[in-house]
Amino acid sequence: MRLVVDLNRCQGYAQCAFLAPDVFTMHGEEALMYDPGADEARREQVMRAVAACPVQAILVDRTDAPIALERAQAHDR
Amino acid sequence: MTVDGSARAFRQHGRVVVVGASLAGLRAAETLREEGFVGALTMIGDEPSEPYDRPPLSKQVLLGKVPADGTALPRRRALDAEWRLGVAATGLDLTGKRVRLADGQEVGFDRLLIATGTRARPWPRETEADLDGVFVLRTADDAARLERRLAARPRRVLVIGAGFTGSEVASACRERGLEVTVAERGPAPLVGALGGVIGAVAAELQREHGVDLRCGIMVTALEGDPAGRLKRAHLSDGTTLDVDVAVIALGAMRNTEWLAGSGLGAGPRGVACDAGCRAFDVHGIVTDDIFVAGDVARSPHPLFGYQFLSLEHWGNALAQAEVAAHNMISSGPDRRPHLWVPAFWSAQFGVNIKSVGVPPMGEELIVTQGSLAERRFAAAYGHQGRVIAAVTFDHARWIDFYREQIESAAPFPPVFANVDRRPEGLRPVGADFPDPALPTHGPTVTLSGYSPSERRVTFTPARA
């Protein structure tokens, strides 16, 4: 799964680091580092982190279809 | 056909082309679909990969924690677009409404969004830039190459330029336990973006983390061995350094060459557009069908004296893309101005640095919370008696407060009752930005344009 954190919104509350520690890590006091290409096995943890974020800074895929698939579909149409 | 009718017809049947398939281009495309555009959508991007996020490249990727091809942006929805990736745009025919591509093809459009962003400024001498061991950092490929080299544990890395990218590269090197020298021609790191007072804090932070920081120094030459591998750097103070990796971090250049001769008001500072993201032509007249968003756009902002701002900010790329996309499919009364307050972040040497507003407009600075010495503080910048910007080191939760101060033109020095005021916060000091006439690394925010009160634009034709 793919995700991105809007680090302008992020205020270092670190709820994500508690709920999905293999994906989100605090670096120093406030800076968040994360894995943008999180393992699919972590999806439930990541979705809990998304829900728990006080400023709703975590954006995850709403569609997993890669571009290549879209291209193939467009070509078939 | 009424205006509203034409907007509705365009949503159904119009052809939109987006040039630039990175953050801004992707967000614009998503917004078009979300807002009901069902016409033809073509995405043109010069990099072969799907849109990806760049900020992790100088942090997680260089630390070896995330692969360079692992920062693809999440999809908010399916786009139903024709993707032309791996092919650069080479020209624009305004009259004929066509984009020319490097492969010789042309793509016709009814409305166009220019979102071609920036690229890293290369080392100016090509033979030296081509030495094995000389890197820039902008694309995923750049990051992959540099990370592989850092993993091989070079004896010493030289970072040329201590702006945000250069400082983040140096931070990653130190965290990997690598010796790193930073050469910065200005008086301090981050000085163009945050001024000399904050730059001095950044300098101390770097040195405390083991960076061999040399300010007021230029690199005059990079020397290779007969096999073409980087061996040595020559500095303007007469010293030489044995280095096997050099990272060129001299700022960004806007990708506007493809628009040369198109008739648009495009140049090294970006593509000029109005607050609704419509591009200006060279006569200063807004076009009807050409829109601009992201790092390549230069647009007036009413909170900052209608200065034309050219922002290399992630959040600006998103916000402006949304506004541009909305305006591309809306009639006049429904169009929106782009009013996002500039905000930026950087993580380096264990510190979360954030800024809001336009610090380079500030003449004075006051530390409002925390302490420079502790490396944990908030500081506000003042311009003509109002708060114009703020910067925080590990004080992120105050940023929204200062954004509100900026938006409401709150007075400077600030008069709010506050906690944690230290002696250094009793009075403002000069923000100590470099004289703009003196060369330094490019600022993150470029201020230009005409303001009745003080600033003038000087037009310098490109040299033949």
Side-chain angles (χ1 to χ4, degrees):
Chain A
M1 67 185 303
R2 292 174 296 205
L3 62 96
V4 68
V5 180
D6 184 339
L7 290 172
N8 281 321
R9 286 200 215 176
C10 176
Q11 296 183 5
Y13 286 100
Q15 296 302 297
C16 52
F18 284 103
L19 293 167
D22 291 329
V23 179
F24 303 99
T25 308
M26 298 312 291
H27 220 73
E29 290 286 319
E30 272 192 5
L32 174 68
M33 286 212 181
Y34 61 94
D35 180 0
D39 197 289
E40 193 61 36
R42 302 281 177 218
R43 176 173 284 272
E44 185 179 343
Q45 290 182 3
V46 169
M47 295 314 293
R48 288 184 183 183
V50 170
C53 177
V55 296
Q56 291 293 284
I58 308 168
L59 311 170
V60 293
D61 269 323
R62 294 185 193 170
T63 169
D64 275 327
I67 285 172
L69 182 56
E70 262 201 49
R71 274 158 141 172
Q73 287 169 337
H75 186 73
D76 290 347
R77 190 178 303 115
Chain B
M1 182 179 291
T2 66
V3 170
D4 179 63
S6 69
R8 274 194 278 119
F10 182 80
R11 286 174 182 232
Q12 295 295 312
H13 308 296
R15 295 171 303 163
V16 167
V17 171
V18 177
V19 183
S22 195
L23 180 70
L26 177 64
R27 188 65 194 125
E30 289 170 340
T31 304
L32 286 166
R33 294 304 191 203
E34 280 164 18
E35 295 202 13
F37 178 70
V38 296
L41 177 59
T42 302
M43 305 289 296
I44 297 171
D46 64 341
E47 289 184 71
S49 51
E50 293 188 11
Y52 62 88
D53 205 30
R54 296 185 198 275
L57 299 181
S58 58
K59 308 172 190 68
Q60 295 98 302
V61 172
L62 285 197
L63 290 171
K65 297 177 189 289
V66 165
D69 61 359
T71 76
L73 285 161
R75 279 326 144 63
R76 299 176 73 92
R77 57 169 296 140
L79 289 182
D80 187 20
E82 180 184 355
W83 292 83
R84 315 278 296 255
L85 297 181
V87 58
T90 55
L92 173 61
D93 174 355
L94 266 186
T95 306
K97 289 189 160 179
R98 285 187 295 263
V99 175
R100 285 189 289 274
L101 302 181
D103 60 10
Q105 297 186 39
E106 292 189 336
V107 182
F109 61 86
D110 296 312
R111 289 207 174 128
L112 178 74
L113 177 66
I114 298 168
T116 45
T118 62
R119 65 188 186 275
R121 183 177 300 275
W123 185 245
R125 276 190 289 270
E126 210 169 311
T127 52
E128 295 174 12
D130 288 343
L131 291 170
D132 179 24
V134 178
F135 299 87
V136 295
L137 181 60
R138 173 66 188 174
T139 67
D141 285 347
D142 295 334
R145 283 191 291 266
L146 179 54
E147 196 280 324
R148 278 197 299 272
R149 188 59 68 95
L150 298 185
R153 304 204 63 78
R155 291 169 303 152
R156 177 167 294 273
V157 176
L158 171 65
V159 176
I160 304 179
F164 283 108
T165 298
S167 299
E168 289 174 4
V169 171
S171 178
C173 289
R174 289 305 300 144
E175 191 163 332
R176 296 186 80 138
L178 298 171
E179 296 296 331
V180 58
T181 296
V182 172
E184 164 55 44
R185 62 182 174 178
L190 312 181
V191 71
L194 300 177
V197 172
I198 304 301
V201 179
E204 290 174 356
L205 195 61
Q206 292 203 15
R207 291 188 169 118
E208 285 163 10
H209 282 80
V211 174
D212 172 27
L213 174 65
R214 306 187 188 199
C215 296
I217 293 286
M218 291 178 66
V219 174
T220 54
L222 297 172
E223 183 186 328
D225 68 11
R229 287 182 297 249
L230 175 65
K231 281 300 175 192
R232 193 163 296 113
H234 297 263
L235 307 184
S236 58
D237 62 356
T239 59
T240 62
L241 273 179
D242 288 347
V243 296
D244 31 7
V245 168
V247 182
I248 313 302
L250 299 174
M253 303 171 67
R254 274 143 187 88
N255 294 314
T256 55
E257 291 77 11
W258 70 283
L259 295 168
S262 65
L264 287 184
R269 293 183 185 272
V271 183
C273 64
D274 71 5
C277 307
R278 293 180 302 169
F280 284 102
D281 70 13
V282 291
H283 306 290
I285 300 173
V286 291
T287 57
D288 294 311
D289 299 310
I290 314 294
F291 291 74
V292 198
D295 293 8
V296 76
R298 199 163 68 84
S299 63
H301 199 305
L303 282 181
F304 304 101
Y306 288 99
Q307 293 292 332
F308 272 70
L309 300 185
S310 186
L311 300 171
E312 296 167 38
H313 293 358
W314 190 91
N316 178 68
L318 281 183
Q320 194 165 37
E322 291 173 11
V323 170
H326 172 84
N327 290 347
M328 290 176 87
I329 56 174
S330 299
S331 58
D334 300 317
R335 284 181 167 161
R336 301 201 300 255
H338 175 49
L339 295 177
W340 186 76
V341 179
F344 186 79
W345 81 85
S346 174
Q348 46 182 273
F349 303 104
V351 174
N352 190 33
I353 301 174
K354 289 202 168 190
S355 83
V356 64
V358 181
M361 282 184 72
E363 294 106 27
E364 293 186 305
L365 173 147
I366 189 165
V367 179
T368 45
Q369 283 114 348
S371 158
L372 300 183
E374 290 173 12
R375 317 278 184 264
R376 184 167 195 174
F377 59 86
Y381 294 78
H383 171 69
Q384 296 185 341
R386 61 172 271 220
V387 177
I388 203 78
V391 64
T392 65
F393 276 41
D394 280 347
H395 254 46
R397 289 171 206 178
W398 282 94
I399 281 284
D400 282 345
F401 170 76
Y402 287 104
R403 180 174 49 73
E404 289 174 14
Q405 295 275 296
I406 293 159
E407 287 175 345
S408 56
F412 181 95
V415 297
F416 52 83
N418 71 318
V419 298
D420 195 23
R421 180 66 68 91
R422 310 295 182 90
E424 67 201 287
L426 290 181
R427 69 190 60 79
V429 297
D432 202 20
F433 281 96
D435 180 345
L438 298 178
T440 180
H441 64 81
T444 306
V445 177
T446 299
L447 299 174
S448 64
Y450 180 74
S451 164
S453 60
E454 77 240 19
R455 292 189 190 239
R456 291 183 174 273
V457 70
T458 301
F459 179 62
T460 306
R463 287 185 209 86

